Protein backbone atom coordinates (compact mmCIF):
# COMPACT_ATOMS: atom_id res chain seq x y z
CA UNK A 1 0.00 0.00 0.00
CA UNK A 2 2.86 2.32 0.84
CA UNK A 3 4.47 1.65 -2.56
CA UNK A 4 1.20 2.49 -4.33
CA UNK A 5 0.82 5.70 -2.32
CA UNK A 6 4.43 6.70 -3.01
CA UNK A 7 3.99 6.05 -6.73
CA UNK A 8 0.82 8.13 -6.75
CA UNK A 9 2.56 11.05 -5.01
CA UNK A 10 5.54 10.81 -7.37
CA UNK A 11 3.34 10.92 -10.47
CA UNK A 12 1.38 13.82 -8.99
CA UNK A 13 4.63 15.71 -8.36
CA UNK A 14 5.82 15.39 -11.94
CA UNK A 15 2.41 16.30 -13.31
CA UNK A 16 2.42 19.42 -11.17
CA UNK A 17 5.76 20.44 -12.73
CA UNK A 18 4.34 20.59 -16.24
CA UNK A 19 4.41 23.96 -17.97
CA UNK A 20 1.09 25.70 -17.62
CA UNK A 21 0.08 28.43 -20.06
CA UNK A 22 -1.35 31.28 -18.03
CA UNK A 23 -3.58 33.86 -19.61
CA UNK A 24 -4.41 37.27 -18.20
CA UNK A 25 -8.16 37.63 -17.85
CA UNK A 26 -8.50 40.85 -15.89
CA UNK A 27 -6.58 44.09 -15.21
CA UNK A 28 -7.60 46.24 -12.29
CA UNK A 29 -6.42 49.84 -11.89
CA UNK A 30 -6.65 52.01 -8.83
CA UNK A 31 -6.09 55.77 -8.47
CA UNK A 32 -4.40 56.92 -5.28
CA UNK A 33 -4.71 60.62 -4.56
CA UNK A 34 -1.61 62.34 -3.22
CA UNK A 35 -2.26 65.67 -1.52
CA UNK A 36 -1.61 67.53 1.73
CA UNK A 37 -3.39 64.82 3.71
CA UNK A 38 -1.05 62.08 2.54
CA UNK A 39 1.14 60.81 5.36
CA UNK A 40 4.78 60.18 4.48
CA UNK A 41 6.18 56.74 5.23
CA UNK A 42 9.11 57.24 7.59
CA UNK A 43 10.74 54.02 6.40
CA UNK A 44 11.06 55.30 2.85
CA UNK A 45 12.12 58.76 4.01
CA UNK A 46 14.93 57.21 6.04
CA UNK A 47 16.22 55.35 2.97
CA UNK A 48 15.89 58.27 0.55
CA UNK A 49 17.13 61.12 2.76
CA UNK A 50 20.92 60.48 2.40
CA UNK A 51 20.62 60.38 -1.40
CA UNK A 52 18.47 63.51 -1.37
CA UNK A 53 21.03 65.39 0.73
CA UNK A 54 23.88 64.29 -1.54
CA UNK A 55 21.96 65.32 -4.67
CA UNK A 56 21.12 68.76 -3.25
CA UNK A 57 24.75 69.28 -2.28
CA UNK A 58 26.03 68.29 -5.73
CA UNK A 59 23.45 70.29 -7.70
CA UNK A 60 24.32 73.43 -5.72
CA UNK A 61 28.10 72.98 -5.99
CA UNK A 62 29.70 76.19 -7.31
CA UNK A 63 31.72 75.59 -10.49
CA UNK A 64 32.64 79.10 -11.62
CA UNK A 65 31.43 82.71 -11.65
CA UNK A 66 30.00 85.14 -14.18
CA UNK A 67 30.28 88.93 -13.76
CA UNK A 68 27.51 89.54 -16.30
CA UNK A 69 24.19 88.04 -17.33
CA UNK A 70 24.66 85.51 -20.14
CA UNK A 71 21.52 85.13 -22.25
CA UNK A 72 20.54 84.12 -25.76
CA UNK A 73 18.70 87.36 -26.60
CA UNK A 74 21.31 90.13 -26.20
CA UNK A 75 22.53 90.28 -29.80
CA UNK A 76 21.50 90.04 -33.45
CA UNK A 77 22.32 86.63 -34.98
CA UNK A 78 24.66 85.98 -32.06
CA UNK A 79 24.48 86.16 -28.26
CA UNK A 80 26.83 86.06 -25.30
CA UNK A 81 25.38 82.73 -24.14
CA UNK A 82 25.30 81.22 -27.62
CA UNK A 83 28.89 82.27 -28.27
CA UNK A 84 29.96 80.80 -24.94
CA UNK A 85 28.17 77.51 -25.58
CA UNK A 86 29.59 77.03 -29.09
CA UNK A 87 33.12 78.03 -28.05
CA UNK A 88 33.28 75.87 -24.93
CA UNK A 89 31.94 72.85 -26.83
CA UNK A 90 34.66 73.35 -29.44
CA UNK A 91 37.30 73.77 -26.72
CA UNK A 92 36.33 70.55 -24.98
CA UNK A 93 35.66 68.45 -28.10
CA UNK A 94 38.54 69.36 -30.38
CA UNK A 95 41.26 67.56 -28.37
CA UNK A 96 39.15 64.39 -28.39
CA UNK A 97 38.59 64.60 -32.13
CA UNK A 98 42.24 65.36 -32.84
CA UNK A 99 43.37 62.42 -30.73
CA UNK A 100 41.08 60.12 -32.71
CA UNK A 101 41.68 61.50 -36.21
CA UNK A 102 44.76 63.72 -36.12
CA UNK A 103 42.60 66.55 -37.48
CA UNK A 104 41.00 69.69 -36.06
CA UNK A 105 37.32 70.53 -35.99
CA UNK A 106 36.64 73.48 -38.30
CA UNK A 107 33.80 75.05 -36.32
CA UNK A 108 30.75 74.32 -34.15
CA UNK A 109 27.06 75.03 -34.71
CA UNK A 110 24.15 74.37 -32.35
CA UNK A 111 20.57 75.64 -32.26
CA UNK A 112 18.97 78.63 -30.58
CA UNK A 113 16.10 76.53 -29.25
CA UNK A 114 18.49 74.17 -27.49
CA UNK A 115 19.46 76.89 -25.01
CA UNK A 116 16.88 76.39 -22.28
CA UNK A 117 17.95 78.93 -19.67
CA UNK A 118 20.16 81.96 -19.09
CA UNK A 119 23.06 82.20 -16.64
CA UNK A 120 22.84 85.25 -14.44
CA UNK A 121 25.42 87.34 -12.59
CA UNK A 122 26.97 85.51 -9.65
CA UNK A 123 28.10 82.00 -8.80
CA UNK A 124 27.49 79.34 -11.44
CA UNK A 125 26.56 75.87 -10.18
CA UNK A 126 25.77 72.42 -11.50
CA UNK A 127 22.13 73.48 -11.39
CA UNK A 128 22.86 76.14 -14.04
CA UNK A 129 24.42 73.53 -16.30
CA UNK A 130 21.40 71.23 -16.03
CA UNK A 131 19.00 74.13 -16.59
CA UNK A 132 20.99 75.26 -19.61
CA UNK A 133 21.13 71.77 -21.11
CA UNK A 134 18.52 69.41 -19.58
CA UNK A 135 18.75 66.95 -22.49
CA UNK A 136 21.02 63.92 -22.88
CA UNK A 137 22.35 65.11 -26.24
CA UNK A 138 25.78 63.86 -27.31
CA UNK A 139 28.50 65.73 -29.20
CA UNK A 140 29.24 64.52 -32.72
CA UNK A 141 31.43 65.74 -35.56
CA UNK A 142 30.16 65.59 -39.14
CA UNK A 143 32.37 65.83 -42.18
CA UNK A 144 30.36 67.97 -44.59
CA UNK A 145 30.85 68.62 -48.27
CA UNK A 146 31.20 72.24 -49.36
CA UNK A 147 27.67 72.02 -50.74
CA UNK A 148 26.33 70.98 -47.33
CA UNK A 149 28.25 73.78 -45.62
CA UNK A 150 26.64 76.21 -48.04
CA UNK A 151 23.22 74.84 -47.05
CA UNK A 152 24.22 75.37 -43.42
CA UNK A 153 25.15 78.99 -44.08
CA UNK A 154 21.95 79.59 -46.02
CA UNK A 155 19.95 78.17 -43.10
CA UNK A 156 21.74 80.54 -40.73
CA UNK A 157 21.49 83.65 -42.90
CA UNK A 158 17.87 83.12 -43.98
CA UNK A 159 16.66 82.74 -40.42
CA UNK A 160 16.52 85.40 -37.77
CA UNK A 161 17.88 83.52 -34.78
CA UNK A 162 21.13 83.61 -32.88
CA UNK A 163 22.12 79.98 -33.37
CA UNK A 164 25.31 79.30 -31.37
CA UNK A 165 28.20 79.51 -33.85
CA UNK A 166 31.82 79.17 -32.75
CA UNK A 167 34.46 81.87 -33.23
CA UNK A 168 36.33 79.92 -35.92
CA UNK A 169 33.75 81.33 -38.33
CA UNK A 170 33.58 84.90 -39.65
CA UNK A 171 30.27 85.36 -41.46
CA UNK A 172 29.38 88.71 -43.02
CA UNK A 173 25.72 88.95 -44.05
CA UNK A 174 24.60 91.50 -46.62
CA UNK A 175 21.26 92.15 -48.24
CA UNK A 176 22.47 90.65 -51.50
CA UNK A 177 24.57 87.80 -50.15
CA UNK A 178 27.23 86.83 -47.65
CA UNK A 179 30.96 86.25 -47.21
CA UNK A 180 32.25 83.28 -45.26
CA UNK A 181 35.67 82.70 -43.74
CA UNK A 182 36.68 79.70 -41.63
CA UNK A 183 39.82 79.99 -39.49
CA UNK A 184 40.48 83.26 -41.29
CA UNK A 185 40.52 81.64 -44.74
CA UNK A 186 37.91 82.12 -47.48
CA UNK A 187 35.39 79.30 -47.82
CA UNK A 188 36.82 76.64 -50.16
CA UNK A 189 34.25 74.93 -52.39
CA UNK A 190 36.70 72.14 -53.21
CA UNK A 191 37.12 70.73 -49.69
CA UNK A 192 35.11 69.18 -46.88
CA UNK A 193 34.73 70.65 -43.40
CA UNK A 194 34.47 69.10 -39.94
CA UNK A 195 31.57 70.58 -37.98
CA UNK A 196 30.80 69.95 -34.31
CA UNK A 197 27.14 69.67 -33.31
CA UNK A 198 24.79 67.46 -31.27
CA UNK A 199 23.39 64.08 -32.24
CA UNK A 200 19.89 65.58 -32.09
CA UNK A 201 20.71 68.20 -34.72
CA UNK A 202 22.70 65.72 -36.80
CA UNK A 203 19.56 63.63 -37.16
CA UNK A 204 17.72 66.66 -38.61
CA UNK A 205 16.43 68.29 -35.43
CA UNK A 206 15.28 71.91 -35.79
CA UNK A 207 15.15 71.29 -39.56
CA UNK A 208 18.96 71.21 -39.81
CA UNK A 209 18.76 68.62 -42.57
CA UNK A 210 22.18 69.57 -43.94
CA UNK A 211 23.71 67.55 -41.08
CA UNK A 212 22.07 64.36 -42.38
CA UNK A 213 24.02 61.91 -44.54
CA UNK A 214 27.47 63.48 -44.02
CA UNK A 215 30.61 62.29 -45.74
CA UNK A 216 31.49 60.76 -42.38
CA UNK A 217 30.08 60.85 -38.84
CA UNK A 218 32.24 60.80 -35.72
CA UNK A 219 30.65 60.04 -32.35
CA UNK A 220 32.66 61.49 -29.47
CA UNK A 221 30.80 59.71 -26.62
CA UNK A 222 30.65 63.01 -24.75
CA UNK A 223 27.44 64.68 -23.59
CA UNK A 224 26.91 68.37 -24.34
CA UNK A 225 26.03 68.93 -20.69
CA UNK A 226 29.20 67.17 -19.51
CA UNK A 227 31.25 69.41 -21.78
CA UNK A 228 29.54 72.44 -20.21
CA UNK A 229 30.25 71.23 -16.66
CA UNK A 230 33.85 70.30 -17.45
CA UNK A 231 34.47 73.72 -18.98
CA UNK A 232 32.84 75.53 -16.05
CA UNK A 233 35.13 73.63 -13.69
CA UNK A 234 38.19 74.61 -15.71
CA UNK A 235 37.78 78.40 -15.46
CA UNK A 236 37.43 80.82 -12.55
CA UNK A 237 35.28 83.29 -14.46
CA UNK A 238 33.06 82.97 -17.53
CA UNK A 239 33.74 85.52 -20.25
CA UNK A 240 31.81 86.02 -23.47
CA UNK A 241 31.22 88.96 -25.78
CA UNK A 242 29.46 89.83 -29.01
CA UNK A 243 32.22 89.85 -31.60
CA UNK A 244 32.83 89.75 -35.34
CA UNK A 245 31.93 86.11 -35.92
CA UNK A 246 28.66 87.41 -37.39
CA UNK A 247 28.56 90.84 -39.01
CA UNK A 248 25.39 92.36 -40.46
CA UNK A 249 25.74 94.97 -43.21
Amino acid sequence: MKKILFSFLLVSFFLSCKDVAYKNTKIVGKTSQIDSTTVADSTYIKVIEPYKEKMIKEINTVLTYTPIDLVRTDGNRQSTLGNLLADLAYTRANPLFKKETGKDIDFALFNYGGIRSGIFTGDVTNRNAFQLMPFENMLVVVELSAEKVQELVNYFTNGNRAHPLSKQVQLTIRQNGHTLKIHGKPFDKSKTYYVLTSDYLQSGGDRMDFFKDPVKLYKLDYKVRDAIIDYFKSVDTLTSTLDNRVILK
Side-chain angles (χ1 to χ4, degrees):
M1 182 68 181
K2 289 182 179 180
K3 289 184 178 180
I4 295 173
L5 179 61
F6 176 76
S7 299
F8 175 76
L9 292 173
L10 188 63
V11 171
S12 299
F13 171 77
F14 282 111
L15 288 175
S16 67
C17 293
K18 289 176 63 179
D19 291 335
V20 179
Y22 292 98
K23 183 178 181 181
N24 186 32
T25 59
K26 188 177 182 181
I27 298 176
V28 178
K30 181 181 178 182
T31 300
S32 298
Q33 185 172 348
I34 300 176
D35 54 26
S36 59
T37 64
T38 304
V39 179
D41 189 320
S42 59
T43 303
Y44 291 114
I45 292 176
K46 189 175 181 180
V47 172
I48 294 171
E49 194 64 27
Y51 299 99
K52 177 183 176 182
E53 291 177 358
K54 182 180 179 181
M55 182 189 72
I56 292 174
K57 182 179 179 180
E58 289 183 356
I59 203 71
N60 290 323
T61 297
V62 176
L63 305 178
T64 186
Y65 173 84
T66 176
I68 62 171
D69 291 347
L70 299 167
V71 295
R72 66 177 184 173
T73 56
D74 55 0
N76 191 351
R77 306 295 182 92
Q78 62 172 308
S79 69
T80 52
L81 187 53
N83 289 356
L84 175 67
L85 178 61
D87 290 346
L88 73 83
Y90 182 98
T91 298
R92 298 300 306 181
N94 194 54
L96 300 177
F97 183 69
K98 191 161 188 176
K99 182 178 180 180
E100 179 181 342
T101 66
K103 300 173 183 178
D104 288 307
I105 298 170
D106 288 299
F107 64 94
L109 174 70
F110 298 93
N111 66 320
Y112 176 88
I115 303 175
R116 311 303 284 193
S117 175
I119 303 177
F120 303 100
T121 303
D123 290 335
V124 180
T125 67
N126 276 316
R127 184 188 300 274
N128 294 116
F130 275 83
Q131 290 172 338
L132 174 62
M133 179 52 63
F135 312 113
E136 300 300 304
N137 295 343
M138 307 292 288
L139 288 170
V140 298
V141 176
V142 287
E143 182 180 1
L144 297 183
S145 65
E147 182 180 1
K148 290 277 191 177
V149 173
Q150 188 60 64
E151 290 178 22
L152 180 157
V153 174
N154 290 341
Y155 175 94
F156 189 96
T157 57
N158 292 337
N160 193 30
R161 287 191 167 186
H163 296 296
L165 185 65
S166 67
K167 63 184 177 183
Q168 290 74 32
V169 169
Q170 296 83 46
L171 177 61
T172 301
I173 303 174
R174 303 181 181 84
Q175 288 186 345
N176 60 347
H178 64 265
T179 302
L180 173 64
K181 290 184 178 181
I182 301 173
H183 286 282
K185 298 179 180 180
F187 174 59
D188 188 344
K189 295 182 180 180
S190 67
K191 62 174 289 187
T192 60
Y193 288 88
Y194 298 99
V195 184
L196 176 69
T197 191
S198 71
D199 56 352
Y200 165 72
L201 297 177
Q202 191 278 318
S203 65
D206 211 0
R207 303 188 308 280
M208 292 190 176
D209 295 330
F210 44 81
F211 281 138
K212 291 181 177 180
D213 303 317
V215 175
K216 191 168 183 179
L217 171 64
Y218 300 85
K219 298 180 180 180
L220 300 184
D221 193 27
Y222 195 17
K223 291 181 181 179
V224 179
R225 184 173 59 246
D226 288 343
I228 293 171
I229 292 173
D230 290 342
Y231 180 82
F232 285 178
K233 288 179 178 178
S234 72
V235 297
D236 294 327
T237 304
L238 297 179
T239 59
S240 183
T241 60
L242 303 178
D243 53 30
N244 67 348
R245 70 188 68 191
V246 180
I247 300 173
L248 302 177
K249 289 188 174 181

